[in-house]
Amino acid sequence: MHIQNDISLKPFNTFGIDVKAKHFISVKSVEGLKRIFSSEEFPQKFILGGGSNMLLTKDIDALVIHLNLKGKTVLEQTENEILVKCEAGENWHEFVLWTLEKDFGGLENLSLIPGNVGTSPIQNIGAYGIELKDVFHSCDALNLETLEIESFTKEACEFDYRNSIFKQHAKDRYIIISVVFNLSIGHHNLNTNYGAIISELENMNIEQPTIQDVSRAVIAIRQSKLPDPKEIGNSGSFFKNPIIPKEDFLKLQGNFPDAPHYIVSENEIKVPAGWLIEHAGFKGKTFGNYGVHKKQALVLVNYGGAKGKDILNLSKLIQDTVVRIFGIHIEAEVNII
Ligand code: EPU
């Protein structure tokens, strides 16, 4: 086991927060992972995937395990469908591009999402009308108590909006080691209903889009709104879009007739947190070396050298202000460590 001590985690989190790991190991095999978990040398352990959905507010006084399992395999194929298995440590967007090169359909709307394949089921990543659950077949996870590999079907994962069993009762009990996707071949069902995709394809003068065109449109939209973590530290949407009772929404609409919203069920309405934050006056606000992104208020940014605690405090100020103005609580989507 090659264990390093006092390592900066700055390159391992997309927010670019400079905290230290007391001990650090990069793991390339499931056997290696099992060895670490069966050893008693480091009782405190912390799993690090793509580091794209976390805000680190302190040094990690534990063995930080960087999951570096790689590989992609086609499992089986029928006339219209293909099952592709991808190991947890593959970069999400590189995997999406690989599927598109092979003309496998289903992941195009999820292009350019930061993070790794193994963490994608945890929060059921989603964008532009598609969620991971729509293309998910199953995943394998290491049970940290028994050190056995268990397989989870789609139903077993209990997917919901930015949620799954791995954020609920299976939290901290498993490490996802690989994910199997159910993709299309030959004939693809495109999902271009999301307004911005349609207008982007029109801008590109494309009438009969391919999956590769949809991916290019999504990439263009994301690049125009969301900061590239390589340039400006961030974790994508910092908050979830709140789902509120219909009667609360009607009150909100009474005061703010233009409030955008999506109907979730007969009694529930989803309101974009970005709109609430913008109308609470935070969009584009800068506080020294951190702030709220100027093009998408849902994204908090580190312009360089910010402390995790500063960004956490800003998120609390935003939450308190949104409650005061709109009476709506917005919940953090990123994991605060
Ligand atoms: N809006 C504002 N001001 C803003 C941002 C948004 O008024 O600063 C309004 C927009 O005008 C629009 C509505 O909010 O009416 C929705 O905006 P957008 O389409 O940008 O999507 P979102 O709800 O803000 C969600 C996801 C994103 C995903 C996009 C596209 C969540 C928490 N976020 O954002 O996911 O890319 O939809 O599907 O559900 C992520 O999770 O990291 C992420 C970026």
PDB file of all heavy atoms in Angstrom, residues 13 15-19 54-60 238 287 289-291 300-302 305-319 334-337:
ATOM      1  N   ASN A  13     -10.594  18.189  -5.595  1.00  0.00           N
ATOM      2  CA  ASN A  13     -11.980  18.662  -5.444  1.00  0.00           C
ATOM      3  C   ASN A  13     -12.194  19.822  -6.395  1.00  0.00           C
ATOM      4  O   ASN A  13     -11.353  20.707  -6.500  1.00  0.00           O
ATOM      5  CB  ASN A  13     -12.291  19.009  -3.978  1.00  0.00           C
ATOM      6  CG  ASN A  13     -11.631  20.282  -3.481  1.00  0.00           C
ATOM      7  OD1 ASN A  13     -12.250  21.327  -3.388  1.00  0.00           O
ATOM      8  ND2 ASN A  13     -10.327  20.228  -3.186  1.00  0.00           N
ATOM      9  N   PHE A  15     -14.053  22.322  -6.326  1.00  0.00           N
ATOM     10  CA  PHE A  15     -14.145  23.652  -5.711  1.00  0.00           C
ATOM     11  C   PHE A  15     -12.743  24.249  -5.544  1.00  0.00           C
ATOM     12  O   PHE A  15     -12.571  25.439  -5.296  1.00  0.00           O
ATOM     13  CB  PHE A  15     -14.822  23.565  -4.336  1.00  0.00           C
ATOM     14  CG  PHE A  15     -16.133  24.287  -4.254  1.00  0.00           C
ATOM     15  CD1 PHE A  15     -17.276  23.639  -3.820  1.00  0.00           C
ATOM     16  CD2 PHE A  15     -16.226  25.631  -4.592  1.00  0.00           C
ATOM     17  CE1 PHE A  15     -18.494  24.300  -3.745  1.00  0.00           C
ATOM     18  CE2 PHE A  15     -17.434  26.307  -4.505  1.00  0.00           C
ATOM     19  CZ  PHE A  15     -18.566  25.638  -4.085  1.00  0.00           C
ATOM     20  N   GLY A  16     -11.709  23.380  -5.628  1.00  0.00           N
ATOM     21  CA  GLY A  16     -10.328  23.846  -5.503  1.00  0.00           C
ATOM     22  C   GLY A  16      -9.989  24.340  -4.108  1.00  0.00           C
ATOM     23  O   GLY A  16      -9.217  25.284  -3.934  1.00  0.00           O
ATOM     24  N   ILE A  17     -10.572  23.696  -3.089  1.00  0.00           N
ATOM     25  CA  ILE A  17     -10.312  24.102  -1.698  1.00  0.00           C
ATOM     26  C   ILE A  17      -9.037  23.398  -1.211  1.00  0.00           C
ATOM     27  O   ILE A  17      -8.881  22.183  -1.375  1.00  0.00           O
ATOM     28  CB  ILE A  17     -11.500  23.732  -0.775  1.00  0.00           C
ATOM     29  CG1 ILE A  17     -12.813  24.329  -1.307  1.00  0.00           C
ATOM     30  CG2 ILE A  17     -11.211  24.153   0.669  1.00  0.00           C
ATOM     31  CD1 ILE A  17     -12.983  25.805  -1.177  1.00  0.00           C
ATOM     32  N   ASP A  18      -8.151  24.182  -0.614  1.00  0.00           N
ATOM     33  CA  ASP A  18      -6.851  23.647  -0.218  1.00  0.00           C
ATOM     34  C   ASP A  18      -6.888  23.174   1.240  1.00  0.00           C
ATOM     35  O   ASP A  18      -6.509  23.908   2.151  1.00  0.00           O
ATOM     36  CB  ASP A  18      -5.793  24.748  -0.407  1.00  0.00           C
ATOM     37  CG  ASP A  18      -4.387  24.187  -0.310  1.00  0.00           C
ATOM     38  OD1 ASP A  18      -4.243  22.956  -0.187  1.00  0.00           O
ATOM     39  OD2 ASP A  18      -3.442  24.996  -0.363  1.00  0.00           O
ATOM     40  N   VAL A  19      -7.371  21.963   1.455  1.00  0.00           N
ATOM     41  CA  VAL A  19      -7.283  21.356   2.792  1.00  0.00           C
ATOM     42  C   VAL A  19      -6.368  20.132   2.663  1.00  0.00           C
ATOM     43  O   VAL A  19      -6.068  19.687   1.557  1.00  0.00           O
ATOM     44  CB  VAL A  19      -8.671  20.927   3.353  1.00  0.00           C
ATOM     45  CG1 VAL A  19      -9.571  22.123   3.575  1.00  0.00           C
ATOM     46  CG2 VAL A  19      -9.336  19.903   2.443  1.00  0.00           C
ATOM     47  N   MET A  54     -18.688  18.180  -3.451  1.00  0.00           N
ATOM     48  CA  MET A  54     -18.401  18.354  -2.035  1.00  0.00           C
ATOM     49  C   MET A  54     -17.744  19.706  -1.767  1.00  0.00           C
ATOM     50  O   MET A  54     -17.071  20.266  -2.625  1.00  0.00           O
ATOM     51  CB  MET A  54     -17.484  17.241  -1.544  1.00  0.00           C
ATOM     52  CG  MET A  54     -16.191  17.133  -2.319  1.00  0.00           C
ATOM     53  SD  MET A  54     -15.008  16.041  -1.507  1.00  0.00           S
ATOM     54  CE  MET A  54     -15.872  14.518  -1.507  1.00  0.00           C
ATOM     55  N   LEU A  55     -18.005  20.205  -0.553  1.00  0.00           N
ATOM     56  CA  LEU A  55     -17.324  21.412  -0.094  1.00  0.00           C
ATOM     57  C   LEU A  55     -16.516  21.014   1.129  1.00  0.00           C
ATOM     58  O   LEU A  55     -17.080  20.606   2.153  1.00  0.00           O
ATOM     59  CB  LEU A  55     -18.355  22.500   0.263  1.00  0.00           C
ATOM     60  CG  LEU A  55     -17.737  23.780   0.824  1.00  0.00           C
ATOM     61  CD1 LEU A  55     -16.863  24.487  -0.215  1.00  0.00           C
ATOM     62  CD2 LEU A  55     -18.820  24.735   1.325  1.00  0.00           C
ATOM     63  N   LEU A  56     -15.194  21.094   1.002  1.00  0.00           N
ATOM     64  CA  LEU A  56     -14.310  20.687   2.104  1.00  0.00           C
ATOM     65  C   LEU A  56     -14.089  21.898   3.011  1.00  0.00           C
ATOM     66  O   LEU A  56     -13.540  22.916   2.572  1.00  0.00           O
ATOM     67  CB  LEU A  56     -12.983  20.187   1.532  1.00  0.00           C
ATOM     68  CG  LEU A  56     -13.073  18.920   0.678  1.00  0.00           C
ATOM     69  CD1 LEU A  56     -11.782  18.690  -0.115  1.00  0.00           C
ATOM     70  CD2 LEU A  56     -13.358  17.705   1.566  1.00  0.00           C
ATOM     71  N   THR A  57     -14.519  21.791   4.257  1.00  0.00           N
ATOM     72  CA  THR A  57     -14.392  22.950   5.164  1.00  0.00           C
ATOM     73  C   THR A  57     -13.291  22.744   6.201  1.00  0.00           C
ATOM     74  O   THR A  57     -13.046  23.618   7.008  1.00  0.00           O
ATOM     75  CB  THR A  57     -15.726  23.226   5.898  1.00  0.00           C
ATOM     76  OG1 THR A  57     -16.019  22.093   6.709  1.00  0.00           O
ATOM     77  CG2 THR A  57     -16.864  23.484   4.928  1.00  0.00           C
ATOM     78  N   LYS A  58     -12.662  21.575   6.196  1.00  0.00           N
ATOM     79  CA  LYS A  58     -11.582  21.336   7.179  1.00  0.00           C
ATOM     80  C   LYS A  58     -10.631  20.249   6.677  1.00  0.00           C
ATOM     81  O   LYS A  58     -10.979  19.492   5.749  1.00  0.00           O
ATOM     82  CB  LYS A  58     -12.185  20.925   8.523  1.00  0.00           C
ATOM     83  CG  LYS A  58     -13.143  19.755   8.447  1.00  0.00           C
ATOM     84  CD  LYS A  58     -13.637  19.427   9.852  1.00  0.00           C
ATOM     85  CE  LYS A  58     -14.424  18.161   9.915  1.00  0.00           C
ATOM     86  NZ  LYS A  58     -15.738  18.124   9.359  1.00  0.00           N
ATOM     87  N   ASP A  59      -9.449  20.168   7.320  1.00  0.00           N
ATOM     88  CA  ASP A  59      -8.514  19.086   7.004  1.00  0.00           C
ATOM     89  C   ASP A  59      -9.179  17.752   7.325  1.00  0.00           C
ATOM     90  O   ASP A  59     -10.007  17.673   8.243  1.00  0.00           O
ATOM     91  CB  ASP A  59      -7.232  19.227   7.842  1.00  0.00           C
ATOM     92  CG  ASP A  59      -6.395  20.416   7.387  1.00  0.00           C
ATOM     93  OD1 ASP A  59      -6.590  20.877   6.255  1.00  0.00           O
ATOM     94  OD2 ASP A  59      -5.558  20.886   8.189  1.00  0.00           O
ATOM     95  N   ILE A  60      -8.787  16.726   6.574  1.00  0.00           N
ATOM     96  CA  ILE A  60      -9.404  15.408   6.795  1.00  0.00           C
ATOM     97  C   ILE A  60      -8.437  14.568   7.621  1.00  0.00           C
ATOM     98  O   ILE A  60      -7.381  14.156   7.118  1.00  0.00           O
ATOM     99  CB  ILE A  60      -9.716  14.694   5.459  1.00  0.00           C
ATOM    100  CG1 ILE A  60     -10.458  15.616   4.494  1.00  0.00           C
ATOM    101  CG2 ILE A  60     -10.482  13.396   5.726  1.00  0.00           C
ATOM    102  CD1 ILE A  60     -11.907  15.826   4.771  1.00  0.00           C
ATOM    103  N   PHE A 238     -25.132  24.342  -6.189  1.00  0.00           N
ATOM    104  CA  PHE A 238     -24.825  24.193  -4.760  1.00  0.00           C
ATOM    105  C   PHE A 238     -26.077  23.763  -3.986  1.00  0.00           C
ATOM    106  O   PHE A 238     -25.991  23.056  -2.995  1.00  0.00           O
ATOM    107  CB  PHE A 238     -24.295  25.520  -4.188  1.00  0.00           C
ATOM    108  CG  PHE A 238     -23.654  25.356  -2.837  1.00  0.00           C
ATOM    109  CD1 PHE A 238     -22.289  25.139  -2.726  1.00  0.00           C
ATOM    110  CD2 PHE A 238     -24.423  25.384  -1.676  1.00  0.00           C
ATOM    111  CE1 PHE A 238     -21.701  24.936  -1.480  1.00  0.00           C
ATOM    112  CE2 PHE A 238     -23.847  25.192  -0.435  1.00  0.00           C
ATOM    113  CZ  PHE A 238     -22.480  24.964  -0.336  1.00  0.00           C
ATOM    114  N   PHE A 287     -17.525  38.208  -2.875  1.00  0.00           N
ATOM    115  CA  PHE A 287     -17.061  38.526  -1.528  1.00  0.00           C
ATOM    116  C   PHE A 287     -15.563  38.189  -1.503  1.00  0.00           C
ATOM    117  O   PHE A 287     -15.185  37.059  -1.174  1.00  0.00           O
ATOM    118  CB  PHE A 287     -17.797  37.676  -0.484  1.00  0.00           C
ATOM    119  CG  PHE A 287     -19.298  37.835  -0.524  1.00  0.00           C
ATOM    120  CD1 PHE A 287     -20.063  37.174  -1.485  1.00  0.00           C
ATOM    121  CD2 PHE A 287     -19.940  38.642   0.399  1.00  0.00           C
ATOM    122  CE1 PHE A 287     -21.445  37.327  -1.524  1.00  0.00           C
ATOM    123  CE2 PHE A 287     -21.326  38.795   0.358  1.00  0.00           C
ATOM    124  CZ  PHE A 287     -22.077  38.139  -0.602  1.00  0.00           C
ATOM    125  N   ASN A 289     -12.520  36.580  -2.569  1.00  0.00           N
ATOM    126  CA  ASN A 289     -12.133  35.537  -3.539  1.00  0.00           C
ATOM    127  C   ASN A 289     -13.193  34.451  -3.736  1.00  0.00           C
ATOM    128  O   ASN A 289     -12.891  33.372  -4.218  1.00  0.00           O
ATOM    129  CB  ASN A 289     -10.776  34.920  -3.147  1.00  0.00           C
ATOM    130  CG  ASN A 289     -10.745  34.495  -1.694  1.00  0.00           C
ATOM    131  OD1 ASN A 289     -11.765  34.537  -1.009  1.00  0.00           O
ATOM    132  ND2 ASN A 289      -9.577  34.078  -1.224  1.00  0.00           N
ATOM    133  N   TYR A 290     -14.432  34.720  -3.350  1.00  0.00           N
ATOM    134  CA  TYR A 290     -15.504  33.749  -3.602  1.00  0.00           C
ATOM    135  C   TYR A 290     -16.806  34.511  -3.834  1.00  0.00           C
ATOM    136  O   TYR A 290     -16.868  35.720  -3.623  1.00  0.00           O
ATOM    137  CB  TYR A 290     -15.644  32.755  -2.431  1.00  0.00           C
ATOM    138  CG  TYR A 290     -15.987  33.410  -1.115  1.00  0.00           C
ATOM    139  CD1 TYR A 290     -17.310  33.473  -0.669  1.00  0.00           C
ATOM    140  CD2 TYR A 290     -14.997  33.989  -0.330  1.00  0.00           C
ATOM    141  CE1 TYR A 290     -17.630  34.080   0.527  1.00  0.00           C
ATOM    142  CE2 TYR A 290     -15.319  34.611   0.866  1.00  0.00           C
ATOM    143  CZ  TYR A 290     -16.635  34.653   1.287  1.00  0.00           C
ATOM    144  OH  TYR A 290     -16.952  35.269   2.463  1.00  0.00           O
ATOM    145  N   GLY A 291     -17.824  33.784  -4.286  1.00  0.00           N
ATOM    146  CA  GLY A 291     -19.085  34.478  -4.526  1.00  0.00           C
ATOM    147  C   GLY A 291     -20.112  33.611  -5.232  1.00  0.00           C
ATOM    148  O   GLY A 291     -20.036  32.379  -5.211  1.00  0.00           O
ATOM    149  N   LEU A 300     -22.115  28.416  -6.543  1.00  0.00           N
ATOM    150  CA  LEU A 300     -21.188  29.224  -5.745  1.00  0.00           C
ATOM    151  C   LEU A 300     -19.782  28.960  -6.279  1.00  0.00           C
ATOM    152  O   LEU A 300     -19.476  27.850  -6.709  1.00  0.00           O
ATOM    153  CB  LEU A 300     -21.279  28.858  -4.258  1.00  0.00           C
ATOM    154  CG  LEU A 300     -22.683  28.964  -3.632  1.00  0.00           C
ATOM    155  CD1 LEU A 300     -22.618  28.810  -2.115  1.00  0.00           C
ATOM    156  CD2 LEU A 300     -23.342  30.289  -3.989  1.00  0.00           C
ATOM    157  N   VAL A 301     -18.941  29.993  -6.253  1.00  0.00           N
ATOM    158  CA  VAL A 301     -17.626  29.852  -6.902  1.00  0.00           C
ATOM    159  C   VAL A 301     -16.480  30.282  -5.986  1.00  0.00           C
ATOM    160  O   VAL A 301     -16.635  31.175  -5.146  1.00  0.00           O
ATOM    161  CB  VAL A 301     -17.559  30.671  -8.230  1.00  0.00           C
ATOM    162  CG1 VAL A 301     -18.398  30.029  -9.312  1.00  0.00           C
ATOM    163  CG2 VAL A 301     -17.978  32.117  -8.028  1.00  0.00           C
ATOM    164  N   ASN A 302     -15.329  29.621  -6.206  1.00  0.00           N
ATOM    165  CA  ASN A 302     -14.078  29.973  -5.541  1.00  0.00           C
ATOM    166  C   ASN A 302     -13.172  30.560  -6.616  1.00  0.00           C
ATOM    167  O   ASN A 302     -12.734  29.851  -7.510  1.00  0.00           O
ATOM    168  CB  ASN A 302     -13.472  28.683  -4.953  1.00  0.00           C
ATOM    169  CG  ASN A 302     -12.052  28.875  -4.469  1.00  0.00           C
ATOM    170  OD1 ASN A 302     -11.582  30.006  -4.312  1.00  0.00           O
ATOM    171  ND2 ASN A 302     -11.359  27.759  -4.223  1.00  0.00           N
ATOM    172  N   GLY A 305      -8.185  30.437  -3.761  1.00  0.00           N
ATOM    173  CA  GLY A 305      -7.712  30.645  -2.393  1.00  0.00           C
ATOM    174  C   GLY A 305      -8.811  30.786  -1.347  1.00  0.00           C
ATOM    175  O   GLY A 305      -8.518  31.054  -0.176  1.00  0.00           O
ATOM    176  N   ALA A 306     -10.079  30.622  -1.721  1.00  0.00           N
ATOM    177  CA  ALA A 306     -11.152  30.760  -0.719  1.00  0.00           C
ATOM    178  C   ALA A 306     -11.124  29.576   0.244  1.00  0.00           C
ATOM    179  O   ALA A 306     -10.665  28.488  -0.100  1.00  0.00           O
ATOM    180  CB  ALA A 306     -12.513  30.826  -1.414  1.00  0.00           C
ATOM    181  N   LYS A 307     -11.603  29.824   1.451  1.00  0.00           N
ATOM    182  CA  LYS A 307     -11.713  28.752   2.447  1.00  0.00           C
ATOM    183  C   LYS A 307     -13.111  28.126   2.337  1.00  0.00           C
ATOM    184  O   LYS A 307     -14.089  28.843   2.110  1.00  0.00           O
ATOM    185  CB  LYS A 307     -11.566  29.331   3.858  1.00  0.00           C
ATOM    186  CG  LYS A 307     -10.219  29.996   4.095  1.00  0.00           C
ATOM    187  CD  LYS A 307      -9.264  29.006   4.756  1.00  0.00           C
ATOM    188  CE  LYS A 307      -7.868  29.523   4.914  1.00  0.00           C
ATOM    189  NZ  LYS A 307      -6.944  29.236   3.838  1.00  0.00           N
ATOM    190  N   GLY A 308     -13.180  26.816   2.564  1.00  0.00           N
ATOM    191  CA  GLY A 308     -14.469  26.135   2.533  1.00  0.00           C
ATOM    192  C   GLY A 308     -15.461  26.770   3.501  1.00  0.00           C
ATOM    193  O   GLY A 308     -16.653  26.893   3.202  1.00  0.00           O
ATOM    194  N   LYS A 309     -14.946  27.213   4.673  1.00  0.00           N
ATOM    195  CA  LYS A 309     -15.847  27.795   5.685  1.00  0.00           C
ATOM    196  C   LYS A 309     -16.487  29.081   5.181  1.00  0.00           C
ATOM    197  O   LYS A 309     -17.644  29.364   5.485  1.00  0.00           O
ATOM    198  CB  LYS A 309     -15.070  28.084   6.971  1.00  0.00           C
ATOM    199  CG  LYS A 309     -14.831  26.843   7.796  1.00  0.00           C
ATOM    200  CD  LYS A 309     -14.791  27.181   9.298  1.00  0.00           C
ATOM    201  CE  LYS A 309     -14.826  25.908  10.113  1.00  0.00           C
ATOM    202  NZ  LYS A 309     -13.491  25.326  10.296  1.00  0.00           N
ATOM    203  N   ASP A 310     -15.711  29.873   4.409  1.00  0.00           N
ATOM    204  CA  ASP A 310     -16.259  31.129   3.875  1.00  0.00           C
ATOM    205  C   ASP A 310     -17.435  30.818   2.948  1.00  0.00           C
ATOM    206  O   ASP A 310     -18.483  31.465   2.994  1.00  0.00           O
ATOM    207  CB  ASP A 310     -15.205  31.881   3.047  1.00  0.00           C
ATOM    208  CG  ASP A 310     -14.059  32.374   3.910  1.00  0.00           C
ATOM    209  OD1 ASP A 310     -14.268  32.536   5.121  1.00  0.00           O
ATOM    210  OD2 ASP A 310     -12.956  32.581   3.360  1.00  0.00           O
ATOM    211  N   ILE A 311     -17.237  29.804   2.085  1.00  0.00           N
ATOM    212  CA  ILE A 311     -18.299  29.455   1.128  1.00  0.00           C
ATOM    213  C   ILE A 311     -19.496  28.872   1.870  1.00  0.00           C
ATOM    214  O   ILE A 311     -20.650  29.170   1.554  1.00  0.00           O
ATOM    215  CB  ILE A 311     -17.738  28.504   0.044  1.00  0.00           C
ATOM    216  CG1 ILE A 311     -16.703  29.283  -0.783  1.00  0.00           C
ATOM    217  CG2 ILE A 311     -18.851  27.953  -0.848  1.00  0.00           C
ATOM    218  CD1 ILE A 311     -15.947  28.479  -1.801  1.00  0.00           C
ATOM    219  N   LEU A 312     -19.227  28.095   2.911  1.00  0.00           N
ATOM    220  CA  LEU A 312     -20.322  27.551   3.731  1.00  0.00           C
ATOM    221  C   LEU A 312     -21.119  28.690   4.365  1.00  0.00           C
ATOM    222  O   LEU A 312     -22.359  28.683   4.349  1.00  0.00           O
ATOM    223  CB  LEU A 312     -19.745  26.616   4.815  1.00  0.00           C
ATOM    224  CG  LEU A 312     -20.749  26.007   5.773  1.00  0.00           C
ATOM    225  CD1 LEU A 312     -21.764  25.138   5.019  1.00  0.00           C
ATOM    226  CD2 LEU A 312     -20.052  25.163   6.839  1.00  0.00           C
ATOM    227  N   ASN A 313     -20.405  29.695   4.903  1.00  0.00           N
ATOM    228  CA  ASN A 313     -21.108  30.826   5.528  1.00  0.00           C
ATOM    229  C   ASN A 313     -21.937  31.590   4.504  1.00  0.00           C
ATOM    230  O   ASN A 313     -23.056  32.010   4.791  1.00  0.00           O
ATOM    231  CB  ASN A 313     -20.115  31.772   6.223  1.00  0.00           C
ATOM    232  CG  ASN A 313     -19.581  31.139   7.496  1.00  0.00           C
ATOM    233  OD1 ASN A 313     -20.210  30.227   8.061  1.00  0.00           O
ATOM    234  ND2 ASN A 313     -18.414  31.572   7.937  1.00  0.00           N
ATOM    235  N   LEU A 314     -21.388  31.746   3.295  1.00  0.00           N
ATOM    236  CA  LEU A 314     -22.157  32.419   2.242  1.00  0.00           C
ATOM    237  C   LEU A 314     -23.426  31.612   1.944  1.00  0.00           C
ATOM    238  O   LEU A 314     -24.513  32.185   1.788  1.00  0.00           O
ATOM    239  CB  LEU A 314     -21.294  32.576   0.976  1.00  0.00           C
ATOM    240  CG  LEU A 314     -22.045  33.053  -0.270  1.00  0.00           C
ATOM    241  CD1 LEU A 314     -22.689  34.424  -0.042  1.00  0.00           C
ATOM    242  CD2 LEU A 314     -21.098  33.119  -1.484  1.00  0.00           C
ATOM    243  N   SER A 315     -23.295  30.282   1.892  1.00  0.00           N
ATOM    244  CA  SER A 315     -24.471  29.457   1.570  1.00  0.00           C
ATOM    245  C   SER A 315     -25.543  29.624   2.653  1.00  0.00           C
ATOM    246  O   SER A 315     -26.734  29.652   2.356  1.00  0.00           O
ATOM    247  CB  SER A 315     -24.085  27.986   1.389  1.00  0.00           C
ATOM    248  OG  SER A 315     -23.837  27.365   2.626  1.00  0.00           O
ATOM    249  N   LYS A 316     -25.095  29.776   3.911  1.00  0.00           N
ATOM    250  CA  LYS A 316     -26.080  29.961   5.002  1.00  0.00           C
ATOM    251  C   LYS A 316     -26.756  31.324   4.899  1.00  0.00           C
ATOM    252  O   LYS A 316     -27.959  31.450   5.137  1.00  0.00           O
ATOM    253  CB  LYS A 316     -25.382  29.821   6.356  1.00  0.00           C
ATOM    254  CG  LYS A 316     -24.993  28.379   6.661  1.00  0.00           C
ATOM    255  CD  LYS A 316     -24.332  28.282   8.016  1.00  0.00           C
ATOM    256  CE  LYS A 316     -23.960  26.839   8.316  1.00  0.00           C
ATOM    257  NZ  LYS A 316     -22.902  26.749   9.325  1.00  0.00           N
ATOM    258  N   LEU A 317     -25.962  32.333   4.532  1.00  0.00           N
ATOM    259  CA  LEU A 317     -26.535  33.679   4.366  1.00  0.00           C
ATOM    260  C   LEU A 317     -27.598  33.655   3.252  1.00  0.00           C
ATOM    261  O   LEU A 317     -28.677  34.231   3.389  1.00  0.00           O
ATOM    262  CB  LEU A 317     -25.404  34.668   4.018  1.00  0.00           C
ATOM    263  CG  LEU A 317     -25.830  36.094   3.702  1.00  0.00           C
ATOM    264  CD1 LEU A 317     -26.426  36.773   4.941  1.00  0.00           C
ATOM    265  CD2 LEU A 317     -24.630  36.920   3.185  1.00  0.00           C
ATOM    266  N   ILE A 318     -27.277  32.935   2.173  1.00  0.00           N
ATOM    267  CA  ILE A 318     -28.233  32.834   1.058  1.00  0.00           C
ATOM    268  C   ILE A 318     -29.493  32.110   1.532  1.00  0.00           C
ATOM    269  O   ILE A 318     -30.619  32.567   1.284  1.00  0.00           O
ATOM    270  CB  ILE A 318     -27.588  32.103  -0.147  1.00  0.00           C
ATOM    271  CG1 ILE A 318     -26.465  32.952  -0.741  1.00  0.00           C
ATOM    272  CG2 ILE A 318     -28.638  31.753  -1.203  1.00  0.00           C
ATOM    273  CD1 ILE A 318     -25.652  32.259  -1.826  1.00  0.00           C
ATOM    274  N   GLN A 319     -29.318  30.996   2.234  1.00  0.00           N
ATOM    275  CA  GLN A 319     -30.491  30.232   2.724  1.00  0.00           C
ATOM    276  C   GLN A 319     -31.361  31.109   3.615  1.00  0.00           C
ATOM    277  O   GLN A 319     -32.585  31.145   3.454  1.00  0.00           O
ATOM    278  CB  GLN A 319     -30.031  29.007   3.524  1.00  0.00           C
ATOM    279  CG  GLN A 319     -29.539  27.868   2.652  1.00  0.00           C
ATOM    280  CD  GLN A 319     -28.917  26.740   3.468  1.00  0.00           C
ATOM    281  OE1 GLN A 319     -28.198  26.982   4.440  1.00  0.00           O
ATOM    282  NE2 GLN A 319     -29.170  25.509   3.072  1.00  0.00           N
ATOM    283  N   VAL A 334     -24.664  19.904  -2.442  1.00  0.00           N
ATOM    284  CA  VAL A 334     -23.303  19.372  -2.276  1.00  0.00           C
ATOM    285  C   VAL A 334     -23.149  18.831  -0.854  1.00  0.00           C
ATOM    286  O   VAL A 334     -23.845  19.251   0.064  1.00  0.00           O
ATOM    287  CB  VAL A 334     -22.221  20.445  -2.537  1.00  0.00           C
ATOM    288  CG1 VAL A 334     -22.341  21.032  -3.913  1.00  0.00           C
ATOM    289  CG2 VAL A 334     -22.253  21.530  -1.502  1.00  0.00           C
ATOM    290  N   ASN A 335     -22.234  17.896  -0.696  1.00  0.00           N
ATOM    291  CA  ASN A 335     -21.941  17.359   0.641  1.00  0.00           C
ATOM    292  C   ASN A 335     -20.959  18.293   1.334  1.00  0.00           C
ATOM    293  O   ASN A 335     -19.902  18.599   0.796  1.00  0.00           O
ATOM    294  CB  ASN A 335     -21.317  15.967   0.515  1.00  0.00           C
ATOM    295  CG  ASN A 335     -22.283  15.000  -0.138  1.00  0.00           C
ATOM    296  OD1 ASN A 335     -23.424  14.882   0.282  1.00  0.00           O
ATOM    297  ND2 ASN A 335     -21.831  14.339  -1.193  1.00  0.00           N
ATOM    298  N   ILE A 336     -21.335  18.710   2.525  1.00  0.00           N
ATOM    299  CA  ILE A 336     -20.451  19.598   3.293  1.00  0.00           C
ATOM    300  C   ILE A 336     -19.614  18.712   4.225  1.00  0.00           C
ATOM    301  O   ILE A 336     -20.158  17.951   5.028  1.00  0.00           O
ATOM    302  CB  ILE A 336     -21.279  20.587   4.164  1.00  0.00           C
ATOM    303  CG1 ILE A 336     -22.428  21.217   3.367  1.00  0.00           C
ATOM    304  CG2 ILE A 336     -20.374  21.616   4.833  1.00  0.00           C
ATOM    305  CD1 ILE A 336     -22.102  22.317   2.452  1.00  0.00           C
ATOM    306  N   ILE A 337     -18.300  18.809   4.071  1.00  0.00           N
ATOM    307  CA  ILE A 337     -17.412  17.957   4.881  1.00  0.00           C
ATOM    308  C   ILE A 337     -16.722  18.810   5.930  1.00  0.00           C
ATOM    309  O   ILE A 337     -16.123  19.828   5.604  1.00  0.00           O
ATOM    310  CB  ILE A 337     -16.331  17.267   3.989  1.00  0.00           C
ATOM    311  CG1 ILE A 337     -16.975  16.628   2.749  1.00  0.00           C
ATOM    312  CG2 ILE A 337     -15.520  16.297   4.809  1.00  0.00           C
ATOM    313  CD1 ILE A 337     -17.836  15.423   2.984  1.00  0.00           C
TER     314      ILE A 337
END
